[in-house]
Amino acid sequence: MTRNTPSQDALTLVGRALLALLFVPAGWAKIGGFAGVAGYIASKGVPLPAVAAAIAIAAELGLGLMLLVGWKARWAAIGLALFVAVITPIFHNFWAAPAAQQMMQQQAFYKNLAVVGGLLIVAAFGAGGWSLDARSRETQGLGSGARKAA
């Protein structure tokens, strides 16, 4: 096992916080605007829009908070990566957008793919030493910030 340096742990925490910043406020906002969210989802042809909106809230708020605090962060990152990979071609289908919206939708599409990439990095390397996952390893005697050597 190798240990992360303090700077690696700090950067991992900042990275998790920035990724979570994309999801947690969006999930929270969907609660207050549930009917509008379900209506927008329905407008995209997604079946059971209220169920889809509830899934979006659970993913963004629940998994986003797990990622933020670094609890089961690898699983949270995988869940969010799958969520984003599924919704991106539905909600940012720039190839079918009106000409005036194509550039914006294309940027959002590729931004989401980059977010999936960041989430996959968390899934691969974990939450870092400044996380609940690392605290759990400490209580199990595995050490702070420990991860398998590459």
Side-chain angles (χ1 to χ4, degrees), residues 5 13 27 34 55 62 66 75 77 83 89 91 94 102 105 115 126 130-131 138:
T5 65
L13 173 62
F34 190 85
I55 290 169
M66 288 171 64
W75 289 109
F83 171 73
F91 293 97
F94 62 91
Q102 281 183 344
Q105 290 299 333
V115 169
W130 296 351
S131 66
E138 286 176 10

Coordinates of all heavy atoms in Angstrom, one line a residue, residues 5 13 27 34 55 62 66 75 77 83 89 91 94 102 105 115 126 130-131 138:
T5 N 0.1 11.8 -0.6 CA 0.7 13.0 0.1 C -0.4 13.9 0.6 O -1.5 13.9 0.0 CB 1.7 13.7 -0.9 OG1 0.9 14.3 -1.9 CG2 2.7 12.8 -1.4
L13 N -9.8 16.2 -2.4 CA -11.0 16.8 -1.7 C -11.5 17.9 -2.5 O -12.8 18.0 -2.7 CB -10.6 17.3 -0.3 CG -11.6 18.1 0.4 CD1 -12.8 17.3 0.7 CD2 -11.0 18.7 1.7
G27 N -29.7 18.7 -7.6 CA -30.7 17.8 -6.9 C -31.6 18.5 -6.0 O -32.8 18.3 -5.9
F34 N -40.3 20.2 -8.6 CA -40.5 18.8 -9.0 C -41.4 18.7 -10.2 O -41.1 18.1 -11.2 CB -41.0 18.0 -7.9 CG -41.0 16.5 -8.2 CD1 -39.9 15.7 -8.0 CD2 -42.2 15.9 -8.7 CE1 -39.9 14.4 -8.3 CE2 -42.2 14.6 -9.0 CZ -41.1 13.8 -8.8
I55 N -35.5 9.7 -9.5 CA -34.2 9.1 -9.7 C -33.2 10.1 -9.8 O -32.1 10.0 -9.2 CB -34.3 8.1 -10.9 CG1 -35.1 6.9 -10.6 CG2 -32.8 7.7 -11.3 CD1 -35.4 6.0 -11.8
G62 N -28.3 12.5 -3.4 CA -27.8 11.4 -2.6 C -26.3 11.0 -2.9 O -25.4 11.1 -2.1
M66 N -22.7 11.8 -1.1 CA -21.7 10.7 -0.8 C -20.3 11.0 -1.4 O -19.3 10.8 -0.7 CB -22.2 9.4 -1.3 CG -23.4 8.9 -0.6 SD -24.2 7.4 -1.4 CE -22.9 6.2 -1.3
W75 N -18.3 3.9 -5.3 CA -19.7 3.5 -5.8 C -20.5 4.7 -6.2 O -21.2 4.7 -7.2 CB -20.4 2.7 -4.7 CG -19.8 1.3 -4.6 CD1 -19.0 0.9 -3.5 CD2 -19.9 0.3 -5.5 NE1 -18.6 -0.4 -3.8 CE2 -19.1 -0.8 -5.0 CE3 -20.4 0.1 -6.8 CZ2 -19.0 -2.0 -5.7 CZ3 -20.3 -1.1 -7.4 CH2 -19.6 -2.1 -6.9
A77 N -19.3 7.6 -7.3 CA -18.8 8.0 -8.6 C -19.3 7.2 -9.7 O -19.6 7.7 -10.8 CB -17.3 8.1 -8.5
F83 N -25.3 7.6 -14.4 CA -26.4 8.6 -14.5 C -26.2 9.6 -15.6 O -27.0 9.9 -16.5 CB -26.7 9.2 -13.2 CG -27.6 10.4 -13.2 CD1 -29.0 10.1 -13.3 CD2 -27.2 11.7 -13.0 CE1 -29.9 11.2 -13.3 CE2 -28.1 12.7 -13.0 CZ -29.4 12.5 -13.1
P89 N -27.1 12.0 -23.7 CA -27.6 12.1 -25.1 C -29.1 12.4 -25.1 O -29.6 12.8 -26.2 CB -27.3 10.7 -25.6 CG -27.0 9.8 -24.4 CD -26.6 10.7 -23.3
F91 N -30.7 14.7 -23.0 CA -31.0 16.1 -22.7 C -30.0 17.1 -23.5 O -30.3 18.3 -23.5 CB -30.9 16.3 -21.2 CG -32.0 15.7 -20.5 CD1 -31.9 14.4 -19.9 CD2 -33.3 16.2 -20.5 CE1 -32.9 13.8 -19.3 CE2 -34.4 15.6 -19.9 CZ -34.2 14.4 -19.3
F94 N -27.3 17.5 -29.3 CA -27.0 18.7 -30.1 C -27.3 18.4 -31.6 O -27.6 19.3 -32.3 CB -25.6 19.1 -29.9 CG -24.5 18.1 -30.3 CD1 -24.0 18.1 -31.5 CD2 -24.0 17.2 -29.3 CE1 -23.0 17.2 -31.9 CE2 -23.0 16.3 -29.7 CZ -22.5 16.3 -30.9
Q102 N -27.4 24.5 -31.1 CA -26.5 23.4 -31.3 C -25.2 23.6 -30.6 O -24.7 22.7 -30.0 CB -26.3 23.2 -32.8 CG -27.4 22.4 -33.5 CD -27.1 22.1 -34.9 OE1 -26.3 22.7 -35.6 NE2 -27.9 21.2 -35.4
Q105 N -25.6 23.2 -26.8 CA -25.9 21.8 -26.5 C -24.7 20.9 -26.7 O -24.4 19.9 -25.9 CB -27.1 21.2 -27.3 CG -28.4 21.8 -26.9 CD -28.8 21.5 -25.4 OE1 -28.4 20.5 -24.8 NE2 -29.6 22.4 -24.8
V115 N -17.1 15.3 -17.3 CA -17.5 15.0 -15.9 C -17.5 13.5 -15.7 O -17.0 13.1 -14.6 CB -18.9 15.6 -15.6 CG1 -19.5 15.1 -14.3 CG2 -18.8 17.2 -15.6
G126 N -10.3 6.3 -5.8 CA -10.8 6.5 -4.5 C -11.0 8.0 -4.1 O -10.6 8.9 -4.9
W130 N -8.6 12.5 2.8 CA -9.5 13.4 3.6 C -10.9 13.0 3.2 O -11.6 13.8 2.5 CB -9.1 14.8 3.3 CG -7.8 15.2 3.7 CD1 -6.9 14.5 4.5 CD2 -7.1 16.4 3.5 NE1 -5.7 15.2 4.7 CE2 -5.8 16.4 4.1 CE3 -7.4 17.6 2.8 CZ2 -4.9 17.4 4.0 CZ3 -6.5 18.6 2.7 CH2 -5.3 18.6 3.3
S131 N -11.3 11.8 3.7 CA -12.7 11.4 3.3 C -13.1 10.4 4.4 O -12.4 9.9 5.2 CB -12.6 10.6 2.0 OG -11.8 9.4 2.1
E138 N -8.8 3.7 8.4 CA -8.0 3.9 9.7 C -8.6 3.1 10.8 O -7.8 2.5 11.5 CB -8.1 5.4 10.1 CG -7.2 6.3 9.2 CD -7.3 7.8 9.6 OE1 -7.9 8.1 10.6 OE2 -6.8 8.6 8.8

